[in-house]
Amino acid sequence: MRFNKSTCASTISAFALASLPGDRGAFHASPHHEDFNSASGYVIRDIDGERCHALDWDGLPGIESILREKGLRSHALWTQFRRWRSEHLDSSLRDAGTKACEVLIKVFGPYDRATAAALEARRSVSRERQKMLLKLEQEYPAMLRCAAREYLAPEMSLTLTLPTFPPILGVNLQSLGAPPTDQVHRDIVFESELFGSVSRAEHVLRHYMTSASDPLQASSVGEFAKGVLDKIKPVEVELEMLEIQESLMRLPAIPGEGEPADMDQISFGSLICRHRAVVVGIVLADAGFNIEVVRGSIEQDGRRGGHLFLYSELEGILEPSSDGPEYWKEVVSVYYEGGAMLVQVKGGALYRLDHRTRLERH
């Protein structure tokens, strides 16, 4: 068989693509252990003759991440870092952290900006939707909205029930000024006894007409109900559009990012912050350093997003998602807010430490 230059080039390219660590790793099954279902913190298990490091970093039962020692890609990480460590036994955590991040980039590829940008875009839409939901609930509670619809559409035979607050809010509505639902319900039941045969929806509307700080200047219950629906309609339309927008957003494919995520199954160059923090944290802990994987957030230039990073009480913030050459963030100030530590670093970024997982072996 004869090959021309084009055929040879195509063949070489095919072999080069097939040899990428991330692609080769996808053909190997992820290790599994029964302890992974309920483990917490940092656990090490030997599975089929291979040492596997597993980490629960969100504080809930069950691990999120697995880093093998003999994986087709991770094996190079352990080999290179341990070789460096054997030659620098007196190295500091700062030097070891920098070296671990350098090896990480070399073996697993640079930070995946496309995935990071997609994640941040989706989080931005989610945050905007949450803010709108909260504002709508504060100004026109779900009970009031339901009552207005029932009152103006009796032919639909809607049944008014006490609504549950959407779990997406994730906040204490009462602490932000929203009326306590149980108290409103008790007031409405009391009014029901006074008004007798009047519909329950009308009781709710009358209650809010008399207690609202801005009763829409309505002269009747019907006018008040219509005013409520007119006010909430554009907001609900916008909320629906944001929900659709969020549902249509797709992230770049990250093979291997299942439950738990197997680092060796994730394609080369696809590690995002949570994976990078786990990898570097584990190799440092294995080398004998005290380090924590932190689930929290980072706020910079007016934007805030969820983030995983590393923290040391001695050295401060280690950022494996950085492109380098500097990975440690110089701490400017530390303070507490709502029980969580906040660390301000040089450059203006503010790190919030919500859940800290010290990498102590179990």
Side-chain angles (χ1 to χ4, degrees), residues 52-181:
C52 298
H53 301 252
L55 187 65
D56 151 48
W57 44 257
D58 67 356
L60 300 176
I63 66 167
E64 284 74 51
S65 307
I66 300 174
L67 180 64
R68 321 182 199 187
E69 286 199 13
K70 295 182 180 178
L72 288 170
R73 187 147 34 113
S74 59
H75 180 65
L77 173 84
W78 291 104
T79 301
Q80 293 180 33
F81 182 79
R82 283 172 172 165
R83 183 187 301 123
W84 176 88
R85 176 64 172 158
S86 66
E87 298 170 353
H88 301 80
L89 293 176
D90 59 346
S91 62
S92 64
L93 172 58
R94 177 170 289 271
D95 291 339
T98 298
K99 183 61 180 181
C101 291
E102 291 173 350
V103 176
L104 171 74
I105 289 182
K106 181 178 178 181
V107 175
F108 284 92
Y111 189 77
D112 186 7
R113 297 293 167 186
T115 300
L119 280 169
E120 178 54 35
R122 190 171 66 175
R123 282 195 294 258
S124 177
V125 173
S126 178
R127 285 195 298 268
E128 184 177 354
R129 184 167 175 268
Q130 288 180 38
K131 287 170 61 177
M132 290 187 65
L133 276 170
L134 178 57
K135 184 178 180 181
L136 178 64
E137 188 63 39
Q138 288 178 316
E139 296 179 354
Y140 301 96
M143 184 184 293
L144 173 60
R145 304 196 301 270
C146 290
R149 290 192 176 92
E150 181 178 341
Y151 185 85
L152 295 177
E155 68 277 3
M156 298 177 64
S157 301
L158 297 178
T159 302
L160 179 64
T161 58
L162 289 176
T164 56
F165 292 122
I168 192 173
L169 292 179
V171 295
N172 186 338
L173 292 173
Q174 294 182 29
S175 68
L176 296 174
T181 307

